[in-house]
């Protein structure tokens, strides 16, 4: 098995900041997050569902993603259980493993899929919660699976992509991504390009497109570059999920760039320097990026021109941005959900949950939120 060293994001930032320092003592200045700015007329979101589960390690940025299908909400507890809710009514709860569940829950095509640190993948029946099958992979599972065209597709921490038949659990194919010696503790989940193709971002700054039914590679393109001298400075991970918007595939990378690639031409259209460990959002021909320093930036989808920047949330460990209705939403380290005007970048409102926001999703017009403290919630516009 290839030897790979994973580096917590906070450690990578600290190490990079100390590169070039000398002497026996290094004074480490604690970076303080910007205080919340005052809002003249603040709007807020309405909570429609909430549930608390076990918290996760502060140093291990696992993605406690919620899922929903056919009006049912599915959530996992890191302690090893999965549950389903219809509104506030719990339909079922099943303990699936004694090991900590480490990949966010995915639900589609009648199954619910989760994974743990030991590389075990579990598929449950959506209606009953009964286990349909399990599979042993070659590494820990730290990003959600993709359920697509009868396949459950997931990436193990050693860079191997696995695909299983969602109904039987039979392995359909595997694909080995290039290995890297150092990487951040994180992995982009597979995403859908079209009915027969999935894409995966990797720790070496590449996008790989793979046939979802056969596992045959269809494309590989570099979308991020770095000129770093040290191992830390050369980290170039794509840990946030790419986004498909029409003919474009938009990616972000740590210490790299935000990039738009034309899928028809299989070439990069534009690329702008921006370090981010979370995926972008695309709406109304604009690309929205949460940079690692807490700056929110909007780019023109066609040209890459910077449309606006907002630095009011510096050092607040921003989550991935999403679009709820016509509002841009991003979470932070204190559990604050910031509402932003996507046209101007102005903060227009906020709501609060509990704990460092780890993932945001919008499903059927509702906002799904998961935090490090285990606060899982669903929100909607007023």
């Amino acid at each position: 098995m290839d030897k790979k060293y994973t580096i917590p994001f906070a450690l990578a930032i600290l190490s990079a900041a100390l590169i070039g320092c000398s002497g026996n003592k290094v004074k480490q200045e604690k970076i303080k997050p910007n205080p919340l700015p005052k809002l003249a007329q603040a709007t807020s979101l309405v909570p429609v569902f909430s549930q608390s589960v076990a918290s996760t390690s502060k140093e291990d940025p696992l993605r406690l993603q919620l899922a929903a299908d056919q009006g049912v909400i599915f959530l996992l507890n890191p302690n090893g259980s999965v549950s389903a809710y219809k509104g506030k009514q719990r339909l079922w709860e099943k303990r699936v493993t004694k090991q900590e569940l480490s990949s966010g829950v995915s639900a589609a095509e009648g199954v619910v899929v989760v994974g743990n640190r030991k590389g075990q993948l579990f598929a449950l029946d959506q209606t009953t919660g009964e286990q349909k099958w399990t599979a042993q992979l070659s590494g820990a599972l730290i990003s959600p699976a993709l359920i697509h065209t009868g396949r459950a597709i997931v990436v193990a921490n050693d860079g191997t992509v696995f695909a299983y038949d969602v109904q039987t659990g039979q392995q359909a194919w595997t694909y080995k991504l290039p290995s890297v010696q150092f990487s951040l503790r994180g992995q982009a989940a597979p995403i859908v390009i079209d009915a027969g193709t999935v894409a995966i971002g990797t720790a070496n700054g590449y996008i790989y497109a793979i046939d979802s039914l056969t596992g045959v590679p269809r494309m590989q393109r570099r979308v991020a570059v770095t000129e770093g001298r040290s191992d830390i400075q050369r980290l170039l991970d794509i840990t946030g999920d790419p986004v498909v918007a029409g003919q474009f595939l938009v990616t972000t990378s740590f210490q790299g760039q935000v990039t738009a690639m034309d899928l028809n031409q299989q070439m990069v259209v534009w690329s702008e320097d921006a370090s981010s460990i979370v995926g972008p959002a695309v709406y109304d021909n604009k690309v929205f990026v949460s940079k690692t320093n807490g700056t929110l930036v909007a780019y023109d989808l066609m040209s890459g021109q910077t449309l606006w920047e907002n630095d009011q949330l510096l050092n607040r460990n921003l989550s991935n941005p999403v679009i709820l209705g016509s509002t841009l939403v991003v979470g932070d380290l204190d559990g604050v959900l910031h509402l932003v005007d996507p046209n101007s970048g102005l903060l227009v409102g906020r709501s609060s949950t509990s704990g460092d926001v780890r993932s945001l999703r919008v499903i059927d017009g509702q906002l799904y939120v998961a935090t490090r403290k285990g606060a899982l919630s669903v929100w909607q516009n007023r």
Side-chain angles (χ1 to χ4, degrees):
M1 183 181 294
D2 293 321
K3 192 172 184 179
K4 179 180 177 183
Y5 301 91
T6 57
I7 303 172
F9 173 66
L11 177 59
I13 293 294
L14 177 60
S15 299
L18 297 180
I19 294 294
C21 295
S22 62
N24 295 326
K25 294 183 178 180
V26 178
K27 185 178 180 180
Q28 298 179 9
E29 183 177 350
K30 186 176 181 180
I31 300 176
K32 295 182 178 180
N34 268 20
L36 291 177
K38 294 182 178 180
L39 302 178
Q41 292 181 335
T43 60
S44 59
L45 302 174
V46 178
V48 296
F49 173 84
S50 64
Q51 192 65 227
S52 295
V53 298
S55 62
T56 59
S57 169
K58 186 176 182 180
E59 290 74 29
D60 201 355
L62 299 179
R63 202 188 316 178
L64 293 181
Q65 171 182 291
L66 291 84
D69 192 35
Q70 304 296 319
V72 178
I73 299 171
F74 301 94
L75 54 91
L76 65 80
N77 194 320
N79 68 10
S81 62
V82 181
S83 53
Y85 287 82
K86 183 77 171 182
K88 296 182 179 180
Q89 178 187 2
R90 189 172 69 188
L91 303 179
W92 53 259
E93 182 174 16
K94 299 292 181 179
R95 176 91 173 189
V96 298
T97 177
K98 294 181 180 180
Q99 304 293 331
E100 182 181 16
L101 290 172
S102 53
S103 72
V105 63
S106 301
E109 300 185 19
V111 297
V112 182
V113 177
V114 293
N116 68 14
R117 293 179 181 273
K118 295 295 183 179
Q120 293 175 298
L121 189 67
F122 305 92
L124 311 179
D125 183 276
Q126 280 193 13
T127 303
T128 65
E130 295 301 320
Q131 185 170 302
K132 293 176 68 72
W133 53 265
T134 183
Q136 179 63 59
L137 281 65
S138 56
L141 304 178
I142 58 176
S143 65
L146 170 67
I147 302 172
H148 180 57
T149 60
R151 299 282 190 261
I153 303 170
V154 65
V155 186
N157 196 41
D158 67 349
T160 306
V161 187
F162 292 84
Y164 296 90
D165 183 285
V166 294
Q167 298 304 324
T168 66
Q170 181 178 357
Q171 183 176 300
W173 52 262
T174 64
Y175 182 83
K176 180 65 176 176
L177 299 170
S179 61
V180 295
Q181 188 175 18
F182 290 93
S183 70
L184 295 182
R185 176 70 168 171
Q187 169 67 56
I191 65 158
V192 175
I193 289 183
D194 57 40
T197 313
V198 298
I200 301 170
T202 66
N204 63 352
Y206 274 78
I207 288 290
Y208 291 82
I210 304 171
D211 186 290
S212 59
L213 292 178
T214 66
V216 174
R218 291 185 170 179
M219 178 192 71
Q220 67 177 63
R221 288 291 181 273
R222 177 182 284 277
V223 293
V225 296
T226 180
E227 297 179 353
R229 296 182 179 181
S230 69
D231 289 331
I232 296 295
Q233 292 172 326
R234 285 194 295 269
L235 289 173
L236 197 64
D237 298 56
I238 299 174
T239 55
D241 298 347
V243 172
V244 174
Q247 71 191 76
F248 296 104
L249 177 70
V250 184
T251 60
T252 54
S253 57
F254 176 59
Q255 299 184 147
Q257 294 80 32
V258 51
T259 300
M261 182 175 68
D262 188 310
L263 290 169
N264 296 330
Q265 302 295 323
Q266 295 189 9
M267 61 180 292
V268 172
V269 177
W270 59 264
S271 183
E272 295 292 332
D273 288 342
S275 177
S276 179
I277 62 167
V278 294
V282 180
Y283 170 74
D284 193 27
N285 287 322
K286 300 179 184 67
V287 176
F288 305 98
V289 175
S290 298
K291 297 173 70 173
T292 53
N293 67 355
T295 302
L296 273 175
V297 189
Y299 303 89
D300 183 89
L301 175 62
M302 307 301 293
S303 67
Q305 176 186 358
T306 299
L307 302 176
W308 54 256
E309 292 189 22
N310 184 321
D311 60 1
Q312 293 177 289
L313 306 175
L314 289 179
N315 306 314
R316 296 195 66 85
N317 295 355
L318 299 185
S319 73
N320 61 302
V322 295
I323 293 291
L324 180 65
S326 59
T327 302
L328 182 69
V329 184
V330 65
D332 72 13
L333 79 173
D334 291 325
V336 180
L337 302 172
H338 301 274
L339 312 184
V340 184
D341 183 333
N343 295 312
S344 65
L346 296 177
L347 297 176
V348 295
R350 65 173 63 110
S351 292
S352 293
T353 179
S354 176
D356 185 359
V357 177
R358 288 291 170 84
S359 72
L360 298 181
R361 303 181 75 191
V362 173
I363 304 173
D364 296 332
Q366 294 185 319
L367 178 68
Y368 287 66
V369 182
T371 76
R372 184 188 69 81
K373 285 188 176 181
L376 309 179
S377 54
V378 181
W379 306 69
Q380 63 184 22
N381 283 315
R382 287 189 179 278

